[in-house]
Amino acid sequence: SEYHVETEAEAIEDNLEPPFVIVVQGSKECGKTTLITSLVHHFTKQRVTLVRGTVTLRTNKNQRITFMECPTDMQAMIDMAKIVDLALLLIDASIGFEMDYTIMVCQM
């Protein structure tokens, strides 16, 4: 099926069901924006250079996927994980999980 980046007008006009929401979580500079832009490019063949807020893709006439980038804040990560359909946690492989987690906790 065809994918494309949906505009707000399209979402309102078609009166669709809520989208499948995916949040991308992780520490600063771990690749959250890169993952979202890569997924958008994979599905739509469109290049997105700046991610602000949510990105919604229409997977078919009646179904959508929304990507959200989570702030680097433990409380925001916990809150967003409660409301989304899928939470992806990115770990910076250059420093490892334990150190990455410690950095996130220290930033609180």
Side-chain angles (χ1 to χ4, degrees):
S1 66
E2 285 290 316
Y3 294 88
H4 74 278
V5 177
E6 180 179 69
T7 64
E8 287 183 41
E10 287 175 322
I12 293 169
E13 150 189 324
D14 291 342
N15 195 20
L16 297 172
E17 292 288 320
F20 186 84
V21 180
I22 300 171
V23 66
V24 180
Q25 301 176 326
S27 62
K28 291 180 183 177
E29 303 294 320
C30 71
K32 298 183 297 281
T33 302
T34 302
L35 177 62
I36 292 172
T37 57
S38 296
L39 288 169
V40 170
H41 179 68
H42 172 76
F43 287 123
T44 66
K45 308 301 183 234
Q46 296 178 27
R47 295 250 183 237
V48 176
T49 56
L50 184 62
V51 175
R52 286 193 180 161
T54 62
V55 177
T56 300
L57 308 176
R58 187 174 285 203
T59 58
N60 61 39
K61 185 173 174 127
N62 300 316
Q63 188 177 34
R64 299 174 297 161
I65 298 174
T66 295
F67 294 102
M68 300 170 68
E69 185 174 333
C70 184
T72 308
D73 173 311
M74 190 60 73
Q75 192 60 48
M77 290 180 176
I78 292 167
D79 289 344
M80 289 188 87
K82 293 176 185 176
I83 63 165
V84 299
D85 298 303
L86 176 66
L88 299 175
L89 176 62
L90 296 183
I91 298 168
D92 188 344
S94 66
I95 59 174
F97 179 69
E98 291 83 12
M99 189 57 124
D100 200 32
Y101 177 76
T102 304
I103 291 169
M104 287 190 302
V105 170
C106 289
Q107 290 174 349
M108 291 179 65

